[in-house]
Each structure stands twice: as C-alpha cells, then as structure tokens.
Amino acid sequence: MIKANNVHKYFGKLEVLKGIDMEVHPGEVVVLVGVSGSGKSTLLRCLNFLELTNEGTITIDGKKVNQKKDNLAKVRAEVGMVFQHFNLFPHKTVLENVMEAPLMVKKMEKSKVKTMALDILEKVGLSDKADVYPNKLSGGQKQRVAIARALAMEPKALLFDEPTSALDPELVGEVLQVMKDLANEGMTMVVVTHEMKFAKEVADRVIMLNEGVIIEDADPDTFFNHSKNERTRQFLEMVN
Ligand code: ADP
Ligand code: MG
C-alpha cells in the first residue's frame, strides 16, 4: 500500500532522512518508534507529501508518485493523517468538521456525506456529539473527531503522529481503542507512538528509526524480546 525507496530528506544542510526503505502492506499496522529528533514526523509527512523528498521515491497503492506533476492533494486524500494536535475547526460542529473535507475536497453530495459522517461518528463512539462544538469536548473526544475526519475521506491508509501524546493519561485509552478497532477492520496504518503496550498488542511490525536511518524492522515479539540491536535495547529501557 505504501512503499518508500531510498528516501532522503534535507532541511537545509541537515539530512534528516538518510535513505529510508520501507513497505507497508494492505491491512498492516506498522508502529514507528525512535527517540525525539530521529525523523519520525518527517518520515510520516513525506509519506503523504506534506514534505517533499529530496531523493528517492514513494509508491502509494502501486502508483509511484511524481512530486512535481501529480496532484498531491489527491494523494493526500488517499493517505490520511492524524496529528498530535487535532486542529478541529472551532466554529463548526463535530458533524460539520467531519463533513468538511468530503464536501470541499471531493465535492461529494451533501446528503451522502452526512449519512457517511454520521456512520463514522457512530464508529468512533461520538454519535451523541454530532451537533456539539469542539470546545465542549474532552481531548480524547477531540482526537476521535480528528480520526473521524480523516476517515471521512475514505483513505487507503492512515498515518498517526503521536495521536495520544497531548492527552491526559485517562483519555489515552479511548483513542487507542478506536485505533485498535480500525486495525481490526483491516485499515492500513503507520503509527508513531510511545505507547508500547499498543505496539505489542496491535502492531504487525515495529520499525525503529535512529538519526534518519531504519535500524530495526521486526515483528513485535522479536523487537521487544529478542532485539540484538544496542540502540533498540537502550530505547526500550528508556520507554519501559
Ligand atoms: P521526530 O518526530 O522523530 O521527533 P522530526 O522528524 O520532527 O523528529 O525531526 C527530525 C529532525 O529534523 C530534527 O533535528 C528536527 O529539528 C529537524 N526538523 C524537523 N522539521 C524541520 C523543519 N521544518 N525545518 C528544519 N528542521 C526540521
Ligand atoms: Mg515527531
């Protein structure tokens, strides 16, 4: 579903991604870990073209994306992204937030979008909040709206960048549960998170990034229990 080949990314002279090769198969959940500054967010942003790569290629659903010629808004609609900070539209209701992109970007018909949006809100457990404004929601509810908003574009894959890092501890579980449900339904996902329990339970693979290089790409059991990589072990000691 997503394939990165020899991806390099520079910010000025700083090389942040140093030749990333990775593949995410349909229905797979890949958890991406690494210390702060290792390039996790940059990699996600490259995978949905919020950042352009300096070298290498990215293939989405079998189609190699041409950064210069292709309609990147369209590619972005195929690979949704959920951020640490939810950025909901404050002057729109929950339902309107979820309906916005399909209406504006996909130009879908309003009644169809509304039916779909209500379905999705039910899925993330927020049917009763459809007509509420974001400032009346908890952080966990806001993040579930953000996930609903991404789902409304009917993406082929979803990228999550530390979706629970800004939440109070008691609100983390409800967001992880929604993500787990999505994983069980077969959504293709790449998740940057420090929630190692989630990684152990949900991930098909764990990828460890260090200074812009993938130093480990393994199934959770191997990663958590049998890694021979010194950096991985240091990382695990730090987060556990
Ligand atoms: P992570 O998400 O793993 O913490 P990032 O991808 O955010 O790491 O950052 C990787 C490196 O790239 C860091 O050194 C960071 O300072 C740098 N960086 C990220 N975004 C930018 C930017 N827009 N301009 C310049 N440097 C950046
Ligand atoms: Mg980051």
Side-chain angles (χ1 to χ4, degrees), residues 35-42 84 161-162 192 194:
V35 297
S36 176
S38 57
K40 305 180 297 296
S41 296
T42 304
Q84 183 174 344
D161 194 357
E162 303 200 28
V192 174
H194 299 298

Side-chain angles (χ1 to χ4, degrees), residues 87 99 204-205 233:
N87 307 318
M99 290 176 65
D204 296 298
R205 269 190 298 134
R233 290 197 185 175

Side-chain angles (χ1 to χ4, degrees), residues 8-17 52-55:
H8 292 256
K9 174 68 186 175
Y10 292 83
F11 289 113
K13 282 187 179 156
L14 180 69
E15 188 176 20
V16 175
L17 300 177
L52 300 186
T53 61
N54 298 99
E55 201 187 320

